[in-house]
Amino acid sequence: MLNPVDDSFLAVLRDKLPAATFRDTAPHYLEEPRGRYHGIAGQILAPACTEDVSVILRACHEAIIPVIPYGGGTGLVGGQLAHDLPAPVILSLERMTQIRAMDAAGGTMVAEAGVILQKVQEAAAEENMLFPMSLASEGTARIGGCLATNAGGVNVIRYGNTRDLCLGIEAVLPTGQIIRGLSGLRKDNIGYDLRHLLIGSEGSLGVITAASLKLAPMPTDRATGLFVVDNPEAALGLLGLARQIVGDSLSAFELIARAGLEFLEEVGPKQRLPFKELPNWLCLVDLGVSGEAKAEEALLTLFEAALEAGLCEDGAISQSETQRTAFWAIRENIPQGNRRIGSIASHDISIPVARIPEFIEEGRAAIAALGPFRINSFGHLGDGNLHYNVFPPKGGSRDEYNTLRSKITQTVHDLTHAYGGSVSAEHGVGRLKVEDQDRYGDPGLLFGMRAIKSALDPHGIMNPGAVLVAN
């Protein structure tokens, strides 16, 4: 049985840790972006080094006190807070913000878990290198949280998820044992790969304190195109054509629905579109090329081929970095428009890419059978990740339909499962989707996960209630 933080436990820690480790319980530690959960805390602890993390976890293991690891607080599935536990330790990595090493020649960087993602990007750029992970929350998300959730973003089609961008980790297990695996070797086949086990575990098996990150060469030229397509099937055809024509220089391929553009018109932030009328569907295609190649020319070649193939009706190609940024702003502001409208239910799903058009159409019919809802289906078509969000009719409020939220989500998730997809593409499981994990997860996989959890965290102190339903 888990125990709450109490004065005697804190007295032990105060003898072992610097005073700066102890933080007041500010509201942001207990909130999450969608307002679905409000957490509790016994004590906020913000260690400045890995050894202090070890002291904290060893003490919590011995006293059987729950620990909630906390990064930037940007998670969307409730993994960073708990509302139904004995008062826990919230372990924040906010003071571990050092970039310990940079090896541009080897294409690696060692960053502590508390470094903001944007700072990692900027440090790489200073060496004319690229850390290619890009998220809407990159100005506040911390690299430790990105690793803990195996975050995705817009560049997965070319560079992969966070797991693909990490060569090694330093971490602390629940007993306080430190794993020192920051060598950054690209070939190392000694023993089990605990790095990949801890990445994506959402703090349920330990705390990542630093990582050796993989850098990529900085593209010499970039450009972005907006392609008007008639439907998702045409978008899929355009994706295939893009792979043929531009190959590995394809960095992002985003699908944007008319609904998302209408939301921006309705509630803002207002965007300037390079088209007279709102398109039904829009594809944002981003290229990064090297050497003497020109990204704008490659996009123009793609556009002409798409027109000839009947896959595209209109388009615009960025003529400058300013215009490229403006095109991306259209895509990046869609979540903000969604929040202002207020979704009844939001879903982060992945579908086999070839079946996405079919899924979108069947999903539309299934949701229409539940009520007069609006659907904004958008996201990373290149890697099969859709953000499939359901909204009230125009003039309505999501609160009017809260009683249907569970039914809507089950409808979307049942259909996702039937299509061989995943109900958690890039946001993680957290607490929001633990029952979905039990419902849709493979029994053998769940058995193995529980066995690993029991072996590494026998008292169940690490982020209890996240990822796995508590036994």
Side-chain angles (χ1 to χ4, degrees):
M1 179 179 293
L2 297 171
N3 299 312
V5 169
D6 58 21
D7 290 341
S8 61
F9 172 77
L10 291 177
V12 170
L13 283 185
R14 291 186 191 280
D15 285 341
K16 298 179 178 180
L17 296 168
T21 307
F22 297 81
R23 293 292 170 101
D24 293 334
T25 307
H28 70 271
Y29 293 112
L30 307 179
E31 299 170 348
E32 52 90 31
R34 289 182 177 164
R36 299 290 187 192
Y37 296 97
H38 187 80
I40 57 173
Q43 178 64 54
I44 312 295
L45 296 175
C49 64
T50 300
E51 288 71 24
D52 285 352
V53 175
S54 175
V55 168
I56 292 166
L57 292 192
R58 184 176 293 111
C60 290
H61 174 76
E62 292 171 354
I64 316 183
I65 287 173
V67 179
I68 312 297
Y70 188 89
T74 60
L76 297 174
V77 290
Q80 70 273 40
L81 48 80
H83 63 282
D84 55 357
L85 296 174
V89 163
I90 294 181
L91 196 155
S92 172
L93 282 300
E94 66 195 74
R95 296 176 64 215
M96 297 188 64
T97 58
Q98 298 299 310
I99 292 177
R100 296 183 187 173
M102 176 71 71
D103 179 6
T108 65
M109 170 201 305
V110 176
E112 292 184 338
V115 181
I116 299 292
L117 173 56
Q118 186 174 336
K119 297 295 184 183
V120 173
Q121 297 167 342
E122 291 170 353
E126 288 176 3
E127 300 294 327
N128 198 33
M129 298 294 286
L130 176 71
F131 185 68
M133 177 180 292
S134 181
L135 311 170
S137 60
E138 62 193 30
T140 49
R142 298 181 188 274
I143 198 66
C146 294
L147 289 160
T149 58
N150 188 30
V154 297
N155 292 327
V156 170
I157 186 174
R158 181 172 183 175
Y159 298 103
N161 291 304
T162 317
R163 178 175 279 118
D164 303 297
L165 299 173
C166 180
L167 294 169
I169 62 167
E170 175 187 86
V172 183
L173 297 177
T175 57
Q177 178 70 47
I178 299 174
I179 298 173
R180 302 188 188 276
L182 290 174
S183 68
L185 296 175
R186 293 174 186 261
K187 292 185 176 181
D188 183 0
N189 286 319
I190 295 179
Y192 301 138
D193 196 338
L194 295 183
R195 164 191 51 158
H196 281 173
L197 181 62
L198 289 169
I199 296 172
S201 68
E202 300 183 50
S204 65
L205 300 177
V207 176
I208 296 171
T209 54
S212 179
L213 303 174
K214 186 189 301 183
L215 307 180
M218 183 70 74
T220 55
D221 192 38
R222 296 177 177 177
T224 300
L226 295 175
F227 291 70
V228 176
V229 297
D230 188 53
N231 51 49
E233 190 164 352
L236 189 62
L238 179 62
L239 173 62
L241 188 64
R243 291 184 189 276
Q244 293 175 20
I245 291 177
V246 302
D248 291 341
S249 64
L250 182 62
S251 297
F253 195 102
E254 299 289 299
L255 181 66
I256 300 171
R258 181 186 179 97
L261 303 175
E262 288 175 338
F263 289 173
L264 294 176
E265 292 277 313
E266 187 177 334
V267 297
K270 297 286 186 181
Q271 304 295 308
R272 290 187 61 185
L273 287 172
F275 311 109
K276 291 182 179 180
E277 297 181 358
L278 292 183
N280 289 326
W281 295 92
L282 195 61
C283 293
L284 183 149
V285 184
D286 191 81
L287 303 187
V289 299
S290 301
E292 299 299 318
K294 296 298 180 184
E296 182 184 331
E297 293 176 3
L299 277 175
L300 181 58
T301 300
L302 174 61
F303 177 64
E304 292 171 345
L307 281 176
E308 185 176 349
L311 296 172
C312 174
E313 302 172 4
D314 197 358
I317 297 171
S318 63
Q319 305 295 304
S320 66
E321 185 61 25
T322 298
Q323 193 171 37
R324 177 176 176 269
T325 300
F327 285 0
W328 267 108
I330 297 168
R331 164 62 180 88
E332 291 170 347
N333 279 310
I334 286 174
Q336 191 172 344
N338 287 350
R339 283 192 292 272
R340 292 179 178 181
I341 293 289
S343 69
I344 303 168
S346 300
H347 312 97
D348 164 49
I349 59 176
S350 59
I351 304 293
V353 174
R355 302 197 69 189
I356 284 178
E358 179 187 358
F359 173 88
I360 289 175
E361 183 58 27
E362 189 171 346
R364 182 199 60 76
I367 295 301
L370 300 178
F373 303 119
R374 295 184 286 177
I375 298 171
N376 187 13
S377 178
F378 69 103
H380 320 305
L381 182 64
D383 58 50
N385 179 190
L386 290 179
H387 300 297
Y388 195 90
N389 302 341
V390 179
F391 297 83
K394 191 170 183 178
S397 165
R398 71 176 185 179
D399 294 339
E400 300 174 43
Y401 300 95
N402 266 342
T403 56
L404 287 175
R405 187 162 74 91
S406 295
K407 180 64 175 175
I408 291 170
T409 291
Q410 185 172 344
T411 298
V412 173
H413 285 178
D414 282 351
L415 188 61
T416 299
H417 185 64
Y419 271 70
S422 170
V423 300
S424 179
E426 65 176 357
H427 293 165
V429 173
R431 290 172 175 78
L432 181 65
K433 297 183 179 180
V434 287
E435 293 182 0
D436 290 321
Q437 174 114 296
D438 259 19
R439 181 180 297 117
Y440 304 111
D442 176 76
L445 177 63
L446 291 171
F447 173 82
M449 289 173 62
R450 291 191 175 100
I452 292 167
K453 172 73 171 174
S454 178
L456 292 181
D457 184 17
H459 296 325
I461 66 168
M462 295 305 305
N463 216 1
V467 184
L468 286 168
V469 173
N471 291 328

